[in-house]
Amino acid sequence: MARKFLYFVASMVILVLAGAFVFRLYGEELMEVAFVPDTEFTAQKVLETNVYDDPHMWLARPELVKGNPALWLPEGYSDTDPAVPDGKKAAVFFIHPTSFLARDRWNAPLDDKESQALARLYLRGQASAFNAVGDIWAPRYRQATLGAFLTEKPEGQQALDAAYQDVLAAFDYFVAKIPSDQPIILAGHSQGSLHLTNLLKDRVAGTPLANRVVAAYVVGWPVSVDTDVPEMGLDICAAPEQTRCMLSWESYAEPADYSRIVEVYNKTIGFNGEPRKDSKLLCTNPINGDIDSAAVASANLGTLVPNDDLSEASLVAGSVPARCDKRGFLLIGDPPEIGPYALPGNNYHVYDYSLFWSNIRADVQRRMTAFLAR
């Protein structure tokens, strides 16, 4: 299990559904039966003060070197240029996506071995993109189970709210622990990015902390330009060297059918209290590092592609283009030969990071350099 690469070790259902609310739309009744808990929600015990002082409460942390999944790199890979000037490092706070799939409870216990193993695999292919510029902190948290995204039951939202309280506790510890002048990078995917949107609203917006954020990578979760961004405390990253800003994208091959996603999205309320209906999604082009643009495949510096036994991955340059459409979804051309785990409608949610791994790595290095040069 430990040798398996990324999140390709699980079945298609596990892979493509973990951590995204939109998937309730595909076979809704079947998915509810298969994944939604049939138990009552039980409020979680509040974590003890300073529980995150324990290194075992982190999947990745600076002093954790042996077996740290966030330190993974593709076989034979090395950075050709210095990551940042003078060796100065950022502190990277990364929130992993859903890896708990059981239906016997609404939130994952911290001692659940299967979900923890999957979370470590996620970090290898996602958080690793940031390890050139800083020390990665990735907390363990009592995440909401997959079924919380597949139901209208109030217990689903209660589970998400409970998970968010753990993330807040971890973030507060993180901020208190790192040097008061150290630059910060925030990142997540899917359920992790959902929590990150709230964290930006609750802990960054309107505070001095916003001035320390190099960038926030809110990947694999919809962010409304009109109703969410103004409440999240950072500008949109409109240029590749811009700092103190946020990036977000959701990947689709073509022809893309995201009509069901839009249907659900249009029923939600934004952070400013206004309906998100018909509002544009924030769409960063991870190849260019700007918004609402197009890039040819030759500009893609490297996509992570697994080997046959899924134990490792190699970087393939120039394989996937990217362009933002008018609605705010990221289109990647014809379906790429990267693996079989795409959702209906050519939704490549699972591959949001791996499609652009090298460009994300270059993007964060570029922004960190610009931040230090201010």
Side-chain angles (χ1 to χ4, degrees):
M1 178 89 173
R3 285 181 51 79
K4 295 298 184 182
F5 171 72
L6 290 179
Y7 31 109
F8 295 99
V9 296
S11 69
M12 179 177 177
V13 170
I14 290 174
L15 290 169
V16 301
L17 292 178
F21 83 126
V22 297
F23 302 139
R24 74 182 68 176
L25 299 167
Y26 300 105
E28 182 174 342
E29 293 181 1
L30 177 61
M31 291 303 169
E32 185 160 349
V33 170
F35 292 107
V36 176
D38 56 5
T39 60
E40 293 184 2
F41 175 81
T42 302
Q44 299 186 120
K45 182 179 179 180
V46 177
L47 293 176
E48 295 181 5
T49 303
N50 291 331
V51 67
Y52 281 101
D53 192 45
D54 183 355
H56 289 96
M57 286 295 294
W58 299 84
L59 297 166
R61 182 168 158 158
E63 62 265 46
L64 300 178
V65 177
K66 184 178 180 180
N68 185 334
L71 298 180
W72 177 89
L73 290 173
E75 188 173 1
Y77 178 87
S78 63
D79 289 302
T80 57
D81 299 315
V84 291
D86 302 323
K88 295 180 180 178
K89 289 187 174 183
V92 183
F93 189 79
F94 188 92
I95 313 170
H96 72 77
T98 308
S99 60
F100 185 61
L101 312 166
R103 62 186 301 268
D104 61 341
R105 62 183 70 197
W106 287 94
N107 290 87
L110 291 171
D111 60 357
D112 182 72
K113 293 182 179 180
E114 182 176 355
S115 63
Q116 292 300 302
L118 282 173
R120 291 178 184 277
L121 292 173
Y122 294 154
L123 291 188
R124 293 182 70 193
Q126 297 178 348
S128 61
F130 303 97
N131 62 28
V133 299
D135 296 320
I136 298 173
W137 299 67
R140 298 168 61 204
Y141 67 101
R142 292 171 294 182
Q143 60 186 283
T145 187
L146 169 61
F149 296 92
L150 307 174
T151 182
E152 298 297 332
K153 293 180 180 179
E155 290 89 343
Q157 187 60 52
Q158 289 175 308
L160 289 166
D161 292 342
Y164 179 53
Q165 293 308 308
D166 284 5
V167 172
L168 277 181
F171 183 73
D172 289 343
Y173 174 84
F174 161 81
V175 171
K177 186 72 172 178
I178 64 176
S180 60
D181 61 348
Q182 187 173 16
I184 294 172
I185 293 166
L186 304 173
H189 187 248
S190 208
Q191 179 174 168
S193 285
L194 166 61
H195 296 315
L196 180 53
T197 64
N198 285 287
L199 188 152
L200 285 165
K201 173 175 62 71
D202 296 338
R203 288 293 191 269
V204 175
T207 74
L209 201 61
N211 293 324
R212 294 171 57 190
V213 176
V214 178
Y217 294 76
V218 190
V219 182
W221 194 263
V223 176
S224 168
V225 171
D226 297 324
T227 69
D228 295 334
V229 171
E231 308 298 322
M232 293 169 66
L234 299 175
D235 293 331
I236 291 170
C237 291
E241 294 186 355
Q242 186 177 348
T243 63
R244 289 182 285 190
C245 57
M246 71 181 80
L247 308 86
S248 182
W249 65 88
E250 296 178 278
S251 308
Y252 278 78
E254 298 179 71
D257 180 5
Y258 45 71
S259 58
R260 293 180 179 180
I261 294 175
V262 172
E263 181 182 348
V264 170
Y265 176 79
N266 280 344
K267 297 177 182 178
T268 61
I269 302 298
F271 286 154
N272 67 353
E274 297 296 323
R276 293 190 176 107
K277 180 176 172 56
D278 297 329
S279 65
K280 189 177 185 300
L281 298 180
L282 171 56
C283 182
T284 304
N285 187 321
I287 294 179
N288 293 339
D290 58 12
I291 55 172
D292 302 331
S293 69
V296 295
S298 60
N300 189 321
L301 301 177
T303 295
L304 286 176
V305 179
N307 59 11
D308 289 341
D309 67 3
L310 310 179
S311 61
E312 268 299 338
S314 59
L315 284 169
V316 178
S319 61
V320 179
R323 66 180 179 89
C324 292
D325 73 0
K326 293 181 179 180
R327 190 64 180 82
F329 290 93
L330 186 70
L331 305 183
I332 60 171
D334 295 334
E337 295 183 5
I338 189 176
Y341 307 113
L343 279 169
N346 275 331
N347 187 338
Y348 273 69
H349 173 80
V350 172
Y351 307 100
D352 283 326
Y353 273 90
S354 55
L355 286 165
F356 311 105
W357 188 88
S358 291
N359 286 88
I360 297 168
R361 193 172 181 86
D363 183 272
V364 71
Q365 291 185 38
R366 185 171 54 244
R367 295 186 197 277
M368 182 64 176
T369 299
F371 185 89
L372 295 175
R374 293 175 307 148

